[in-house]
Amino acid sequence: MKLDDLALDVEQHINIKAAPDKVFAAMLHRFGEGNTTPNGESLNLRLEPNPGGRWYRDRGNGVGHLWGFVQTIKPPTLLELSGPLFMSYPAINHVEIKVEPVSGGSKVTLRHRAIGMIDPEHRKGVGTGWNHMLAGLQKDCE
């Protein structure tokens, strides 16, 4: 196994015609209760927007999955999450979402880095998932 097989580094950008404070609030919603699959099904995610806050999937009746913790939160410019995310195997992830003002609105940069025994299907689908998340965020704001 090569080091490249154990690492993941995905970066995506989107411009949104809204102020950073509006984008940041919508992003917190989209990463939490507003999170859906591409077919519109809720993932039942919860995000506690404070340092050390949990990011988890609540399936009800005590069933769930820890996705990570809030590592850094600096409204309205930065959210960092770290943890296993959707990977139920030996892997650690770091997701950084930056919101910066640009002419006409905000630029959102999402970077997902991981290291571990990354499933090839997850590696293949992670870009599509983040693209869906950013498109939903843009729709929420515009």
Side-chain angles (χ1 to χ4, degrees), residues 40-98:
E41 181 181 331
S42 174
L43 283 174
N44 299 309
L45 286 174
R46 304 292 181 261
L47 176 64
E48 299 168 344
N50 52 279
R54 296 172 300 163
W55 186 31
Y56 64 99
R57 192 168 183 192
D58 184 358
R59 305 292 298 240
N61 298 318
V63 176
H65 183 105
L66 176 68
W67 280 38
F69 294 98
V70 175
Q71 182 172 318
T72 305
I73 184 165
K74 295 180 182 177
T77 60
L78 179 66
L79 178 66
E80 293 182 6
L81 304 162
S82 60
L85 274 67
F86 46 82
M87 299 178 182
S88 291
Y89 46 82
I92 188 70
N93 296 266
H94 180 266
V95 178
E96 176 186 72
I97 309 98
K98 291 182 180 179

Side-chain angles (χ1 to χ4, degrees), residues 91-137:
I92 188 70
N93 296 266
H94 180 266
V95 178
E96 176 186 72
I97 309 98
K98 291 182 180 179
V99 181
E100 57 186 307
V102 294
S103 178
S106 302
K107 178 181 178 182
V108 178
T109 302
L110 184 148
R111 187 168 186 193
H112 176 184
R113 290 176 280 186
I115 191 159
M117 310 290 269
I118 300 169
D119 182 295
E121 289 301 310
H122 286 157
R123 180 183 305 281
K124 192 168 68 173
V126 74
T128 302
W130 290 129
N131 186 50
H132 168 71
M133 175 83 77
L134 292 174
L137 176 60

